[in-house]
Amino acid sequence: MEFNQEVKKATDPIYQKISKVMPEIEWSIHAPYIHEINKLKKEKNAVILAHNYQTPEIYHGIADFSADSLALAVEASKTSAEIIVMAGVHFMAETAKLMSPNKKVLLPDMEAGCSLSSSITGKDVRLLKQKYPGVPVVSYVNTSADVKAETDVCCTSANAVKIVNSLGVNKVIFLPDDYLAKYVASQTNVEIISWKGICIVHDQFSKNEIINVRKNNPGIKIIAHPECPPEVIKASDFTGSTSGMINYVKDNQPKKVMMVTECSMSDNIQVENPDVEFIRPCNMCPHMKKITLPKILGCLKNETGEIIMDQETISKARLSVEKMVAIGR
Ligand code: 13P
Ligand code: SF4
């Protein structure tokens, strides 16, 4: 992979956009991959969907669409491309397959998982349904297709409260994120039966960290993802999905902001918000960071990492995602 004149010419407009967040020396390593991937995408009629936690060279360099998990699921259902490459984690690729079962969906690293998704199985949900007969099951989209197949309706961090309220019941089983369940409970009158799953990234933030950041940065706005512990959410100025957090910064243009979430978020949106100063005691998601440009290139070239699911699971799991999409954000 050589950073030659052809590569430089083709990728320069992208670099001009992100030069403030990436040194030239680093760009010269990424650019040949970006050029190759962007050519191959066209040849193969492939689309790259990227989650907001992907690194800037993926987010700005090759993604056709970058978003939170709700918008990624919707986009997967609409695309006319033949191949979808998910620059994200396994549950996101599975959700894309559920929404577009006839498309080839590829994940560049099959080990890119999620601590929430791996905290619960389809069998666990069946046991819960036996224990609480008739109580509807709302599952976070951060779950496997087996769990979704046992679920009445999915939700994401962008619409969890709306989805729970839409059911018109006084009790729901809400899986698997215990902190998101507590957040939803604080926003509704519905009784929530939760599971003990946590996100290993957001669980690391503490109230003391927030208090210290505020002390050292008077006037700062602190915005948190709802996967954070309840006391962190309480100490923050705003709570929303990754796209909700991005929109908060775009719309409010705070002088200083701390995004209580994964590290790449601040890097990615610094580009479009040059006047905002990002204070970054952030945490890295080891799963999201498994996705790299060389892996994306290899997976697209050889069409490896295909998401395969049996027809019965697809049909059952798809219903819960479709219901969520119909209710919306
Ligand atoms: P969003 O749906 O807010 O993008 O969150 C997905 C996720 O995995 C956050 O940790
Ligand atoms: Fe899962 Fe947390 Fe990583 Fe999101 S940040 S993919 S919830 S482990």
Side-chain angles (χ1 to χ4, degrees):
M1 285 288 177
E2 199 196 333
F3 186 51
N4 55 28
Q5 273 314 308
E6 181 195 322
V7 172
K8 188 170 168 21
K9 196 170 163 227
T11 59
D12 235 18
I14 309 171
Y15 186 59
Q16 290 317 315
K17 230 175 101 187
I18 67 164
S19 58
K20 278 202 186 76
V21 296
M22 188 172 292
E24 222 167 326
I25 183 83
E26 193 183 331
W27 182 252
S28 67
I29 298 166
H30 297 314
Y33 288 97
I34 290 173
H35 183 47
E36 232 15 69
I37 292 167
N38 285 338
K39 278 196 301 186
L40 209 51
K41 255 182 1 187
K42 281 197 196 121
E43 280 167 37
K44 293 199 168 207
N45 188 19
V47 72
I48 298 181
L49 305 185
H51 185 259
N52 289 325
Y53 291 164
Q54 292 295 296
T55 47
E57 66 275 13
I58 295 174
Y59 185 95
H60 292 288
I62 56 161
D64 297 286
F65 187 78
S66 320
D68 64 4
S69 35
L70 178 60
L72 289 177
V74 174
E75 187 63 22
S77 70
K78 292 198 307 206
T79 181
S80 58
E82 285 163 58
I83 297 175
I84 298 172
V85 178
M86 180 55 72
V89 294
H90 193 269
F91 78 81
M92 293 174 177
E94 267 192 351
T95 307
K97 181 72 181 174
L98 295 176
M99 298 311 279
S100 267
N102 300 324
K103 302 255 155 82
K104 193 175 254 191
V105 177
L106 307 177
L107 181 65
D109 187 328
M110 284 297 191
E111 300 293 311
C114 169
S115 63
L116 283 169
S117 181
S118 59
S119 71
I120 190 158
T121 63
K123 189 173 166 212
D124 293 327
V125 186
R126 283 193 290 280
L127 289 172
L128 279 168
K129 289 202 286 193
Q130 272 171 26
K131 192 167 173 206
Y132 301 100
V135 179
V137 177
V138 178
S139 293
Y140 199 25
V141 75
N142 300 38
T143 45
S144 65
D146 286 341
V147 167
K148 289 186 175 81
E150 299 294 336
T151 292
D152 292 291
V153 56
C154 279
C155 73
T156 74
S157 57
N159 61 9
V161 175
K162 189 173 179 187
I163 297 276
V164 166
N165 283 334
S166 77
L167 296 171
V169 294
N170 52 23
K171 198 192 272 187
V172 300
I173 299 170
F174 188 97
L175 309 168
D177 187 344
D178 193 32
Y179 293 154
L180 183 64
K182 288 193 167 75
Y183 175 69
V184 173
S186 76
Q187 307 290 309
T188 68
N189 291 321
V190 180
E191 186 189 332
I192 308 273
I193 298 159
S194 68
W195 189 253
K196 286 285 173 210
I198 48 134
C199 161
I200 49 167
V201 176
H202 293 92
D203 186 46
Q204 290 175 51
F205 292 104
S206 71
K207 185 180 163 190
N208 279 347
E209 198 175 358
I210 309 272
I211 291 172
N212 281 335
V213 169
R214 275 207 203 278
K215 213 187 287 163
N216 297 329
N217 299 276
I220 191 169
K221 292 292 178 199
I222 299 193
I223 62 177
H225 195 274
E227 288 169 12
C228 290
E231 63 274 16
V232 169
I233 293 180
K234 224 182 258 169
S236 303
D237 298 299
F238 171 81
T239 305
S241 76
T242 55
S243 291
M245 295 169 87
I246 293 174
N247 289 336
Y248 178 95
V249 173
K250 274 190 195 154
D251 297 345
N252 295 285
Q253 292 290 302
K255 264 205 171 84
K256 266 191 193 181
V257 72
M258 173 187 172
M259 299 187 113
V260 191
T261 192
E262 216 275 344
C263 298
S264 289
M265 283 272 284
S266 300
D267 298 338
N268 288 336
I269 67 161
Q270 175 79 81
V271 173
E272 284 115 21
N273 298 281
D275 300 329
V276 177
E277 185 185 344
F278 291 85
I279 304 297
R280 303 171 195 234
C282 58
N283 292 314
M284 201 100 92
C285 174
H287 299 291
M288 287 282 179
K289 268 37 201 187
K290 288 205 161 82
I291 307 300
T292 61
L293 289 173
K295 285 187 200 169
I296 293 172
L297 179 59
C299 137
L300 188 54
K301 206 185 250 172
N302 307 313
E303 299 187 19
T304 47
E306 184 173 359
I307 301 293
I308 309 277
M309 275 183 268
D310 63 81
Q311 204 45 55
E312 197 191 334
T313 308
I314 292 184
S315 314
K316 283 174 80 183
R318 185 189 161 98
L319 287 178
S320 60
V321 182
E322 277 177 345
K323 269 192 218 156
M324 166 184 82
V325 169
I327 295 168
R329 198 173 277 271

